[in-house]
Amino acid sequence: QVQLAASGGGPVPAGGSLRLSCAASGRTFSSVLLFWFRRAPGMDREFVAAISWSGDSTNYADSVKGRYTISRGNAKNTIDLQMNSLKPEDTAVYYCAADRIRPGGSVEYRYWGQGTQVTVSS
């Protein structure tokens, strides 16, 4: 089992920056994809960004492309999300997640972490 814990959220003014971090513990696997998701008030959870375990491949939602950067932390058991030029619509609870991938490429299991609140004021 992989355990994930997000941190770094808080209040921030529009146009500001914030860095979120997710620490992973427990079992690790040779093929893992790492994610950030978010859920805005009254909305479903939505995809934000993804990164391969090696860090050589990333993907972003159109709404955050060019403003957010996902990366492996300096410690290899962390996932970071650098958020710049924040907008009020970025206000949400942010979650980290990890997908265990089978050798054939299918998702075996998705692990979810607890969220951290980001509130962007106008």
Side-chain angles (χ1 to χ4, degrees):
Q1 182 176 335
V2 176
Q3 295 176 317
L4 303 167
S7 63
V12 62
S17 298
L18 204 62
R19 178 180 285 269
L20 306 183
S21 184
C22 179
S25 62
R27 284 195 65 185
T28 58
F29 309 97
S30 59
S31 297
V32 178
L33 295 177
L34 307 169
F35 301 85
W36 284 97
F37 290 80
R38 69 185 182 187
R39 183 161 56 204
M43 303 292 290
D44 291 334
R45 186 178 295 170
E46 65 173 334
F47 166 79
V48 174
I51 188 169
S52 62
W53 181 256
S54 65
D56 62 352
S57 180
T58 59
N59 192 30
Y60 298 90
D62 289 341
S63 59
V64 307
K65 192 172 297 182
R67 300 187 298 117
Y68 289 16
T69 302
I70 188 172
S71 64
R72 299 297 310 278
N74 291 331
K76 287 296 185 180
N77 65 337
T78 62
I79 318 161
D80 291 343
L81 185 69
Q82 178 65 46
M83 305 183 295
N84 298 324
S85 302
L86 285 164
K87 307 173 181 178
E89 51 263 44
D90 293 319
T91 294
V93 178
Y94 284 72
Y95 303 85
C96 55
D99 282 0
R100 180 181 177 181
I101 307 299
R102 296 188 180 95
S106 62
V107 176
E108 179 174 319
Y109 195 83
R110 174 166 287 175
Y111 300 91
W112 289 97
Q114 293 297 114
T116 185
Q117 176 71 50
V118 173
T119 303
V120 184
S121 60
S122 59

